[in-house]
Amino acid sequence: RGEPHLELIRRIQTTLSSSPIGPLYEMVKPGCVCLNAVRLLDPLRKPELFSRSSSVVTNSEGEDIDWETCHAEVYHRLAALFHSAPWTYFPLRLDRADCTSITLAPSGPGCRQAVSAWVKAVEEATGLRNSATGRDMLTLTFAFEVFPVEGENAAQVRRDVVREIKALLDKEWGV
């Protein structure tokens, strides 16, 4: 179902960008919209990645390591998990939406358990804790507010756009 959802996101971006408040937002390139369910790397935690054990990609301590090397290390540690198909499909339903993001929710208790098991397995394999909150894990960001929406007229337009986005998603998102 990925492609129909991506097309739906493009339509939502068009709705937002063509609205009177559109110039206040920057759209995320549709090919870059994705769930970031497990946030493992941030600049302040790079040394954690290489302090756990010996790395297969570098001998450095972490602070001076470039991001490409960090990603290669995480990928190496997760290689076995990437081949574990049973828990890489999570049927998600629409939870909420606004002018910048869509938040999804597990479609049932089995899905919720699968997501939790996947996150735990990723944390164990990498030796890094997930810095994403439960809501962050299942949020797709499709736009960023570049300038604040100020004034009652602009705020009303934003509420109208959010209503339009929600109506479209309620009608077409599915599971």
Side-chain angles (χ1 to χ4, degrees):
R1 284 207 41 103
E3 218 31 64
H5 287 145
L6 190 55
E7 182 54 38
L8 190 53
I9 289 169
R10 285 186 185 107
R11 289 173 47 204
I12 289 167
Q13 289 178 319
T14 300
T15 298
L16 176 59
S17 63
S18 64
S19 75
I21 60 169
L24 303 176
Y25 292 86
E26 180 66 31
M27 301 305 130
V28 174
K29 292 179 182 174
C32 295
V33 173
C34 66
L35 285 176
N36 191 3
V38 184
R39 295 185 188 158
L40 300 173
L41 297 175
D42 76 36
L44 300 175
R45 293 179 48 209
K46 278 170 110 177
E48 283 181 44
L49 180 61
F50 298 100
S51 65
R52 178 188 125 178
S53 63
S54 60
S55 167
V56 295
V57 296
T58 186
N59 293 327
S60 180
E61 293 295 314
E63 289 180 25
D64 59 338
I65 306 250
D66 62 56
W67 284 111
E68 188 175 336
T69 302
C70 292
H71 287 106
E73 179 68 21
V74 169
Y75 183 85
H76 172 76
R77 292 182 187 182
L78 293 173
L81 285 176
F82 288 145
H83 300 290
S84 59
W87 53 8
T88 56
Y89 171 72
F90 308 122
L92 302 171
R93 63 174 174 74
L94 177 67
D95 185 29
R96 63 182 56 126
D98 59 28
C99 283
T100 61
S101 62
I102 300 167
T103 302
L104 305 172
S107 60
C111 180
R112 188 176 337 279
Q113 290 169 347
V115 170
S116 294
W118 166 253
V119 170
K120 184 176 182 212
V122 167
E123 287 176 340
E124 288 174 3
T126 62
L128 298 170
R129 62 184 158 66
N130 184 7
S131 62
T133 66
R135 180 169 290 165
D136 290 342
M137 288 174 42
L138 299 177
T139 298
L140 296 163
T141 300
F142 59 84
F144 293 96
E145 188 176 275
V146 178
F147 300 103
V149 176
E150 295 178 340
E152 184 52 39
N153 288 340
Q156 182 58 51
V157 170
R158 179 173 49 194
R159 286 189 292 272
D160 293 343
V161 170
V162 168
R163 243 189 318 276
E164 190 174 343
I165 288 170
K166 285 180 180 177
L168 182 60
L169 288 170
D170 285 339
K171 179 180 176 190
E172 297 187 32
W173 187 267
V175 175

